[in-house]
Amino acid sequence: MNNVCKIFRYLIYTLEIYMLYSLQQASIFSFSCLGIAPVLVIAGFICISHFENEFTSMAFGILSGFLIDLSFGSVLGANAFILGIMGYILGILFSYYIKANFLSAMFFSSIASLAMTFVNFYIHQFIEGFLFMGLAGESHWNLIGMCAGLASLPVYLFNRSISYLTREKRNETKQS
Amino acid sequence: MKGFFKSTAFKVVVIVSMGIGIIMLCTSFSPERNVFAEALSRTVLPFQKSVQSIINVSTDFYYQFKRKEELAQEIDSLKSEISELRDKIIDYNEIKRENARFAKYYDFKKENNTLKFVPASVVGVDSTGYFQSFTIDKGSDSGISKNDIVITENGAIGCVCAVNAVCSKVKSILSPEVKIGAADIETSESGVISGNTQIAQKNLTRMTFIPAQNSMKAGDIIATTGMSGMYPKNLKIGKVKSIEYDDHESSHYAVIEPFETLKTVRDVFIITDFQGKGSMVIS
């Protein structure tokens, strides 16, 4: 039963990441402020990390990274590697050190978006010699973080409800 | 720390990193045919299509209503614009008509520069309708006085019989009460223009007191003589239609057809002053 719930939960997360990616790519959802639009898959992956262990977080980080590589046209695997590492670290943090709530979801979504922007800016500016998406980030760092943070709130609430519904309760486990 | 490097977690991280590195290398070496990207695209594509189709249906539905509101607003604005344009057309036609009227009278005034005109418009007609008498919208405030002659671009049509401050009553040449000295400009035979109830409905008047031995004929032009000093001379009135004999008065008269159709008169000019006004000519 535990495995079935886990598989069902992972399936929901996968569909969620795909749906966020589709929404991100859809024309009507191109909300942007001064050229900045949130990357929804990052918010989704961060919120999943709140409720899963480090390996699951890393797996969904890699999936999110692959999708970002697909949409941005960069080398497949670059963002997957970065988000995978990030997912592993966040999984450990949320499992043992940080209490998961919507504030942490907003905070870490903002940090993750800024980190991704900086890394991509560094890679493309200094390694490949041209600006990628960092040009907007140079002048609107605060907006990048704010957009990602705000986008994570509904995703966090959804993931929290999924996690609570599909996870077996501690009282029942102790009694058994 | 050593335990971490020997732990399962580290091994998993290393294996995953190597896997991702292999994918990156494969992508770099063959960017045209990327198997991993194709596989990932195939899994994502159904989701993208379904989401986009839902969005398209929703936006079409939304824009249907929004477009209705926009169309309704556009219709209202177009209606008000049409109304404004219609008012402008009316004003334009009015100005055009007035301009045409003034153009004709400008030529007339150039030829008769001693005449003083007051333009006026017909605001009411005689209720009996027999002699086409009418009321105009100018009065003594504009310099009009009783017995001033009234003309159009086609000729004299009557004279002022009653004056108020802001309006005046005009009796036409079809009325028996109007008497204007006139003459045939070809034969110089003179008479008096005075209407008749029998022929007034046909837009005809009479020229009475013509000589019995006259050489007037149909088609001759009749104009004012100006001998009485009340009206200027050479104002055309009409043309001779026929010469008749009146048994009651035992005299000949000419049936005159005015140049102006009095039923359709809308704008007139009243001659308030001219050279020789008040001075009778004795030949």
Side-chain angles (χ1 to χ4, degrees):
Chain A
M1 188 62 187
N2 196 18
N3 289 335
V4 171
C5 292
K6 196 182 281 185
I7 292 167
F8 179 71
R9 194 165 65 245
Y10 292 165
L11 190 65
I12 296 288
Y13 288 153
T14 308
L15 292 174
E16 178 192 345
I17 294 291
Y18 275 4
M19 289 303 291
L20 286 172
Y21 175 75
S22 303
L23 286 172
Q24 186 181 296
Q25 297 295 100
S27 55
I28 196 170
F29 284 97
S30 58
F31 299 126
S32 62
C33 180
L34 298 174
I36 309 296
V39 181
L40 296 174
V41 291
I42 293 178
F45 139 69
I46 296 292
C47 294
I48 290 169
S49 302
H50 277 60
F51 304 104
E52 299 301 328
N53 59 29
E54 59 271 24
F55 296 112
T56 311
S57 302
M58 186 173 71
F60 282 102
I62 290 168
L63 175 63
S64 304
F66 275 129
L67 290 173
I68 291 172
D69 289 329
L70 205 65
S71 64
F72 287 169
S74 56
V75 175
L76 195 71
N79 287 297
F81 180 76
I82 297 164
L83 284 181
I85 299 297
M86 203 182 289
Y88 182 81
I89 295 168
L90 287 174
I92 292 174
L93 282 174
F94 289 121
S95 295
Y96 302 107
Y97 301 108
I98 299 175
K99 187 178 176 185
N101 55 33
F102 75 93
L103 286 173
S104 63
M106 289 170 72
F107 176 75
F108 281 100
S109 295
S110 306
I111 297 295
S113 292
L114 286 168
M116 285 295 299
T117 308
F118 181 74
V119 166
N120 278 284
F121 173 72
Y122 176 79
I123 289 171
H124 292 281
Q125 173 68 16
F126 293 105
I127 296 176
E128 293 189 13
F130 64 91
L131 284 172
F132 182 52
M133 61 182 178
L135 187 60
E138 271 186 294
S139 54
H140 299 292
W141 293 102
N142 52 345
L143 271 175
I144 290 173
M146 198 165 62
C147 288
L150 288 171
S152 66
L153 183 57
V155 179
Y156 170 81
L157 294 172
F158 175 75
N159 285 336
R160 182 178 159 177
S161 59
I162 292 295
S163 176
Y164 281 3
L165 287 171
T166 57
R167 205 180 290 275
E168 52 181 42
K169 295 181 182 176
R170 284 188 181 178
N171 290 336
E172 289 174 3
T173 347
K174 279 184 181 176
Q175 284 172 6
S176 65
Chain B
M1 194 66 182
K2 283 184 182 176
F4 172 72
F5 288 109
K6 290 180 182 175
S7 65
T8 312
F10 179 71
K11 289 172 187 171
V12 169
V13 170
V14 168
I15 291 167
V16 168
S17 303
M18 284 171 66
I20 294 173
I22 292 166
I23 293 172
M24 287 172 69
L25 282 169
C26 293
T27 309
S28 301
F29 284 132
S30 59
E32 298 84 20
R33 187 172 171 78
N34 193 333
V35 179
F36 302 105
E38 277 182 29
L40 194 59
S41 300
R42 283 179 187 276
T43 58
V44 169
L45 193 62
F47 290 93
Q48 284 185 296
K49 278 187 176 178
S50 59
V51 167
Q52 193 60 49
S53 64
I54 292 169
I55 289 167
N56 288 341
V57 168
S58 306
T59 50
D60 288 345
F61 187 72
Y62 169 71
Y63 281 121
Q64 212 174 19
F65 287 100
K66 195 176 176 190
R67 185 72 185 140
K68 274 186 186 175
E69 289 175 11
E70 285 176 357
L71 285 172
Q73 285 176 3
E74 200 175 335
I75 286 169
D76 289 338
S77 72
L78 284 171
K79 277 184 180 175
S80 64
E81 196 178 334
I82 286 169
S83 175
E84 282 177 23
L85 287 172
R86 279 183 181 151
D87 292 340
K88 283 185 181 175
I89 286 172
I90 291 170
D91 292 340
Y92 166 75
N93 286 333
E94 178 68 28
I95 291 168
K96 195 176 163 187
R97 193 167 54 83
E98 204 168 310
N99 190 46
R101 180 162 59 108
F102 280 112
K104 287 174 186 171
Y105 283 107
Y106 174 71
D107 295 332
F108 184 78
K109 189 165 173 62
K110 269 192 354 182
E111 295 169 8
N112 302 277
N113 52 8
T114 60
L115 301 178
K116 282 188 182 174
F117 298 98
V118 174
S121 298
V122 175
V123 295
V125 295
D126 187 4
S127 55
T128 58
Y130 278 124
F131 305 119
Q132 308 302 333
S133 299
F134 49 87
T135 305
I136 57 175
D137 61 350
K138 294 287 170 62
S140 54
D141 285 351
S142 303
I144 295 173
S145 51
K146 195 175 173 183
N147 295 324
D148 283 346
I149 194 163
V150 180
I151 63 172
T152 64
E153 64 268 19
N154 293 325
I157 60 167
C159 62
V160 177
C161 64
V163 182
N164 286 330
V166 294
C167 66
S168 307
K169 193 158 182 184
V170 175
K171 281 200 188 299
S172 70
I173 54 176
L174 307 182
S175 170
E177 296 175 41
V178 171
K179 298 200 189 317
I180 300 175
D184 188 328
I185 61 171
E186 291 186 22
T187 62
S188 300
E189 276 148 350
S190 59
V192 175
I193 296 291
S194 180
N196 181 271
T197 52
Q198 291 171 349
I199 56 175
Q201 286 296 304
K202 300 175 191 174
N203 197 54
L204 298 171
T205 187
R206 294 199 313 179
M207 182 171 165
T208 56
F209 302 113
I210 61 174
Q213 306 296 328
N214 64 77
S215 54
M216 292 169 69
K217 59 185 183 304
D220 286 354
I221 294 174
I222 305 300
T224 56
T225 57
M227 294 177 71
S228 62
M230 289 174 67
Y231 315 116
K233 63 186 276 186
N234 292 332
L235 288 176
K236 54 186 177 177
I237 296 172
K239 61 183 179 183
V240 176
K241 195 166 164 79
S242 62
I243 308 294
E244 306 291 339
Y245 182 78
D246 190 347
D247 293 326
H248 293 285
E249 295 183 4
S250 303
S251 63
H252 289 83
Y253 67 90
V255 176
I256 307 298
E257 184 181 6
F259 289 122
E260 183 64 72
T261 306
L262 293 167
K263 283 183 184 177
T264 59
V265 169
R266 290 174 65 184
D267 300 302
V268 299
F269 276 72
I270 300 94
I271 298 175
T272 55
D273 197 10
F274 56 93
Q275 192 176 23
K277 184 177 182 180
S279 56
M280 188 182 288
V281 175
I282 300 172
S283 58

